[in-house]
Amino acid sequence: RMSRHAQKLRDHDTNPCVAETDATTKCMNDNNYNKDMCTDYFLKYKNCRKFWHGIMMQRKRNGVKPEMPSADERKKILESMG
């Protein structure tokens, strides 16, 4: 059984970067935990977090709830950006 924190991290509605997290973890596992082999994955994860954190802060400033858009809403945001 996963802890509540672990479940939250796996929840696509609260964590927009589940796919990037999984890809990074897989790369680390596949490359015997050699970080140098997974630089691209870490960068994609970092960019994902930075992007959605910016969206979340903007929504917070504008009083929009929930502060993190749902998975469906995020998909629409990304589609609208091209």
Side-chain angles (χ1 to χ4, degrees):
R1 204 167 119 72
M2 282 196 289
S3 71
R4 192 173 295 151
H5 179 69
Q7 286 174 339
K8 194 174 177 188
L9 290 177
R10 302 295 315 152
D11 183 348
H12 288 271
D13 278 329
T14 53
N15 180 1
C17 302
V18 173
E20 290 78 2
T21 303
D22 291 348
T24 304
T25 303
K26 184 181 182 324
C27 180
M28 290 293 281
N29 289 337
D30 292 350
N31 290 287
N32 207 19
Y33 294 88
N34 179 349
K35 269 188 166 175
D36 297 336
M37 300 293 286
C38 303
T39 313
D40 288 347
Y41 292 97
F42 282 109
L43 191 59
K44 282 179 190 161
Y45 172 78
K46 190 173 153 191
N47 288 338
C48 177
R49 296 294 306 173
K50 192 191 292 184
F51 176 79
W52 289 112
H53 181 74
I55 299 275
M56 197 171 83
M57 295 315 290
Q58 187 67 49
R59 286 169 66 106
K60 193 174 194 170
R61 279 192 295 273
N62 295 342
V64 178
K65 296 278 184 195
E67 288 158 7
M68 177 55 72
S70 69
D72 287 341
E73 207 177 335
R74 287 196 307 268
K75 190 176 174 194
K76 287 177 188 145
I77 290 170
L78 290 175
E79 285 169 358
S80 77
M81 295 173 73

